[in-house]
């Protein structure tokens, strides 16, 4: 089998071209993942060289739409890492309960599975009516899918298992209706969720939150970009607000590690220390 | 000198992995990276099981953690383990590769790109072809590639796929693999 290869220079040229032409900036993404994903796109569309890919990207906006869909990672599940949800319920929700309006941001929500998991937990703790969840993603197609809340029924067995392990209190099947091989999330869970497009790389603070969930998104960024995004989160959190990141992600390599208190080192839940302004 | 020993395995590989860990010297100046297929949604005790076989430090690396010599790294359950040019790990939660996450191919390909002739990679027993392309790439970049002798493997498909793909990959029994790795510190690389 011939080795399809992409040099670092070629990769950089492609990322620059995308930024110039479409405004999406992948230049500070972690190189190993992005290279693999670009090569995957090339393979799926039978393009052999970087030149062919650049030509296609420069001249075919429809192709770019597809490319963006494949490039952005959309892998997610409901109640992923059940222990994370158990801890969130036990250690964060009691504090959230003291706010008259609970504002939560799910950054990089992909197709919404974790957002709906959060809504289910809020409902079970009697907090859903007071909650406003902002769920954002870079990819407009993800947002469309997330809004619909339709997922393949065959995933539900695994999700039910996760839900039970996370300490769920009801029947998981109460939260969706099965139809034509799909599970449709109940409307009650959707009513306090606002889905919209937001790009963590280029967009700014848009509200103040008591909880920001951004799990397994930062791994795709290099250290500089991770640092920038953690600053964005810091600025978007109310004093004593909570930040949850992926279980293998870390604030250790960022400037702001001292400005957060660790709530769970295992499940990577942090709390913003008081301090009013972020004096960068 | 060797900088990295990467070991990939799936079904039937655990006894060999444990024998290799047992045979490692108490101090060594390369990094060991283990990529072992595991069940997706059962919380895995792998780190603990492996730690029980050795006094060495075994870590599941966090994202952006620098690779250090003398440490055994275990690819975390459900993440692909990649290596960046600045020799830090980066994790990836994207689609399965060869039905696997962590995928051995993903890690081996990074090892080949970053460490070239300073890498040794071993592919053990397993029931799918993950790792064959990666091992091929390691050999093509001047590293040492070893596949477990299929006759000795509980599941032959994985090492056999690698051997079919590249004739420069050597086929060795678990005893030979363990011996070879235990002597690696003082071993000059063949292409140096």
């Amino acid at each position: 089998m011939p080795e399809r290869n992409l040099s670092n220079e070629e990769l950089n040229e492609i990322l620059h071209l995308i930024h110039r032409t479409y405004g999406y900036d992948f230049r500070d993404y972690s190189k190993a993942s992005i290279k693999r994903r670009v090569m995957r796109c090339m393979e799926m569309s039978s393009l052999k060289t970087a030149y062919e890919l650049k030509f296609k990207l420069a001249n075919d906006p429809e192709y770019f739409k597809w490319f963006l869909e494949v490039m952005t990672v959309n892998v997610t599940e409901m109640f992923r890492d059940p222990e994370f949800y158990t801890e969130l319920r036990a250690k964060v929700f009691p504090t959230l309960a003291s706010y008259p309006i609970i504002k939560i941001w799910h950054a990089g929500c992909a197709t919404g599975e974790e957002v709906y998991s959060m809504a289910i937990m809020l409902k079970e703790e009697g907090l859903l009516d007071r909650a406003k969840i902002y769920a954002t993603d870079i990819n407009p197609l993800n947002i469309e899918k997330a809004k619909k809340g339709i997922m393949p029924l065959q995933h539900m067995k695994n999700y039910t298992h996760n839900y039970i392990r996370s300490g769920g209190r009801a029947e998981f099947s109460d939260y969706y209706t099965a139809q034509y091989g799909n599970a449709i999330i109940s409307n009650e869970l959707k009513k306090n969720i606002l889905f919209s497009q937001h790009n963590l790389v280029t967009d700014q603070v848009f509200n103040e939150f008591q909880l920001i969930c951004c799990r397994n998104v930062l791994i795709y960024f290099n250290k500089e970009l991770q640092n920038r995004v953690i600053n964005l989160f810091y600025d978007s959190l109310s004093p004593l607000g909570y930040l949850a990141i992926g279980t293998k992600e870390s604030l250790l390599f960022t400037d702001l590690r001292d400005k957060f208190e660790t709530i769970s080192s295992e499940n990577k839940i942090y709390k913003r220390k008081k301090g009013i302004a972020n004096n960068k | 000198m060797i900088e990295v020993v990467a070991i990939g395995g799936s079904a039937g590989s655990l006894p060999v992995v444990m024998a290799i860990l047992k045979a490692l010297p108490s101090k060594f100046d390369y990094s060991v990276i283990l990529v072992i297929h595991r069940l997706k949604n059962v919380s895995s005790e792998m780190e603990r099981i492996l730690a029980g076989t050795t006094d060495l430090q075994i870590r599941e690396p966090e994202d952006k953690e620098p690779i250090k010599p003398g440490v055994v790294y275990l690819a975390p359950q459900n993440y692909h383990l990649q290596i960046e040019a600045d020799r830090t790990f980066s994790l990836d939660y994207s689609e399965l590769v060869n039905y696997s996450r962590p995928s051995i191919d993903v890690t081996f390909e990074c090892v080949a790109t970053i460490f070239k002739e300073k890498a040794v990679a071993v592919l053990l027993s397993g029931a799918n072809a993950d790792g064959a392309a990666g091992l091929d790439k390691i050999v093509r970049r001047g590293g040492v590639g070893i596949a477990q002798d299929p006759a000795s493997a509980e599941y032959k498909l994985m090492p056999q796929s690698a051997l079919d793909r590249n004739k420069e990959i050597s086929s060795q029994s678990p005893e030979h693999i363990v011996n070879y790795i235990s002597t690696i510190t003082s071993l000059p690389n063949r292409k140096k």
Side-chain angles (χ1 to χ4, degrees):
Chain A
M1 211 186 295
E3 211 180 344
R4 185 182 264 109
N5 221 332
L6 196 62
S7 72
N8 289 337
E9 292 72 43
E10 287 170 331
L11 179 66
N12 287 334
E13 284 168 23
I14 290 162
L15 301 182
H16 273 99
L17 170 79
I18 292 169
H19 183 235
R20 267 199 322 272
T21 316
Y22 300 101
Y24 285 89
D25 190 355
F26 292 110
R27 293 173 301 172
D28 279 330
Y29 275 49
S30 105
K31 284 289 176 289
S33 289
I34 200 113
K35 193 168 178 175
R36 213 157 56 75
R37 300 195 75 74
V38 170
M39 286 174 69
R40 188 162 161 265
C41 286
M42 290 170 69
E43 207 176 294
M44 288 168 79
S45 45
S46 305
L47 301 177
K48 286 184 194 69
T49 63
Y51 178 80
E52 288 173 73
L53 177 62
K54 280 192 282 182
F55 184 83
K56 200 92 174 126
L57 286 169
N59 295 297
D60 187 349
E62 281 304 309
Y63 180 80
F64 176 71
K65 249 190 225 169
W66 172 85
F67 182 87
L68 182 68
E69 170 75 357
V70 178
M71 276 287 283
T72 50
V73 174
N74 311 318
V75 179
T76 178
E77 51 186 80
M78 289 188 80
F79 292 98
R80 164 167 69 180
D81 307 320
E83 299 77 15
F84 163 73
Y85 286 93
T86 316
E87 286 225 288
L88 202 64
R89 209 189 278 254
K91 293 187 175 166
V92 175
F93 275 31
T95 312
L96 292 185
S98 65
Y99 292 94
I101 297 170
I102 303 163
K103 280 190 284 183
I104 298 172
W105 178 16
H106 261 275
C109 70
T111 43
E113 278 78 347
E114 294 204 55
V115 184
Y116 289 121
S117 312
M118 177 74 74
I120 288 172
M121 263 196 341
L122 287 165
K123 184 180 154 46
E124 292 186 1
E125 301 305 314
L127 302 174
L128 186 59
D129 290 338
R130 281 194 274 147
K132 268 219 152 316
I133 307 176
Y134 295 77
T136 63
D137 198 82
I138 182 178
N139 182 349
L141 285 173
N142 276 347
I143 291 299
E144 285 314 307
K145 279 188 202 161
K147 267 185 200 162
K148 290 191 181 115
I150 299 176
M151 10 194 129
L153 202 54
Q154 80 245 26
H155 292 174
M156 288 299 138
K157 193 178 158 208
N158 174 25
Y159 294 174
T160 305
H161 182 71
N162 283 352
Y163 168 74
I164 293 167
R165 273 179 57 207
S166 78
R169 296 175 189 207
E171 290 292 326
F172 189 59
S173 55
D174 292 349
Y175 297 116
Y176 64 86
T177 36
Q179 220 172 68
Y180 306 114
N182 284 315
I184 303 161
I185 295 289
S186 83
N187 281 328
E188 192 199 356
L189 295 173
K190 292 178 187 165
K191 64 178 190 236
N192 291 348
I193 306 174
L194 189 76
F195 288 102
S196 66
Q197 197 187 354
H198 181 277
N199 186 336
L200 286 169
V201 183
T202 48
D203 297 344
Q204 301 302 315
V205 173
F206 62 95
N207 212 326
E208 189 179 282
F209 301 95
Q210 282 103 36
L211 169 62
I212 297 175
C213 261
C214 182
R215 305 203 314 132
N216 294 313
V217 176
L218 297 172
I219 47 178
Y220 301 110
F221 301 163
N222 71 16
K223 275 183 253 184
E224 291 71 35
L225 182 54
Q226 286 190 348
N227 209 43
R228 237 160 64 211
V229 173
I230 294 290
N231 270 284
L232 171 67
F233 290 159
Y234 184 84
D235 293 337
S236 304
L237 278 172
S238 58
L240 305 178
Y242 295 92
L243 172 66
I245 57 179
T247 52
K248 292 288 167 190
E249 293 174 323
S250 175
L251 295 184
L252 273 182
F253 309 111
T254 70
D255 298 343
L256 292 178
R257 59 186 168 272
D258 299 328
K259 295 195 168 182
F260 286 94
E261 178 192 336
T262 305
I263 300 299
S264 164
S265 56
E266 193 79 353
N267 290 301
K268 301 296 161 63
I269 305 171
Y270 300 91
K271 187 184 198 171
R272 183 195 196 267
K273 289 182 184 168
K274 248 186 183 137
I276 307 297
N278 180 12
N279 37 5
K280 286 174 281 195
Chain B
M1 288 296 288
I2 298 300
E3 291 187 13
V4 160
V5 175
I7 300 165
S10 188
S13 69
L14 207 51
V16 187
V17 172
M18 285 157 95
I20 292 172
L21 291 181
K22 253 187 205 147
L24 281 174
S26 60
K27 279 206 165 76
F28 49 91
D29 51 12
Y30 47 88
S31 317
V32 177
I33 302 174
L34 305 174
V35 185
I36 304 167
H37 293 165
R38 307 189 246 174
L39 286 175
K40 190 167 161 289
N41 275 309
V42 180
S43 122
S44 172
E45 296 281 289
M46 185 76 75
E47 201 177 1
R48 210 172 50 80
I49 292 169
L50 294 177
T53 66
T54 163
D55 295 333
L56 299 168
Q57 196 196 349
I58 298 182
R59 290 188 50 79
E60 286 194 359
E62 290 197 342
D63 184 53
K64 305 296 180 273
E65 186 174 323
I67 304 177
K68 290 191 189 133
V71 181
V72 180
Y73 295 98
L74 172 65
Q77 186 177 26
N78 249 327
Y79 290 89
H80 295 304
L81 181 63
Q82 305 172 136
I83 302 156
E84 300 286 344
D86 65 356
R87 304 195 170 196
T88 53
F89 286 110
S90 76
L91 300 175
D92 178 305
Y93 199 97
S94 62
E95 298 79 1
L96 309 184
V97 173
N98 305 318
Y99 313 98
S100 314
R101 192 179 56 216
S103 149
I104 301 166
D105 269 346
V106 168
T107 304
F108 277 15
E109 280 173 17
C110 289
V111 167
T113 306
I114 305 294
F115 294 96
K116 302 182 181 77
E117 75 284 356
K118 292 174 175 164
V120 170
V122 180
L123 191 62
L124 302 173
S125 167
N128 78 10
D130 190 28
L135 197 59
D136 173 44
K137 194 162 178 186
I138 282 175
V139 169
R140 284 207 255 172
R141 294 278 166 101
V144 177
I146 301 168
Q148 182 177 353
D149 175 4
S152 74
E154 206 178 323
Y155 295 88
K156 301 179 194 338
L157 181 61
M158 203 148 101
Q160 189 63 55
S161 306
L163 293 167
D164 291 347
R165 200 173 165 122
N166 191 323
K167 300 290 166 251
E168 282 182 62
I169 294 170
S170 74
S171 162
Q172 292 187 21
S173 69
E175 295 72 31
H176 274 103
I177 294 171
V178 169
N179 267 334
Y180 174 77
I181 291 178
S182 66
T183 58
I184 248 171
T185 354
S186 53
L187 195 82
N189 191 282
R190 66 195 169 117
K191 285 202 177 163
K192 198 178 164 182

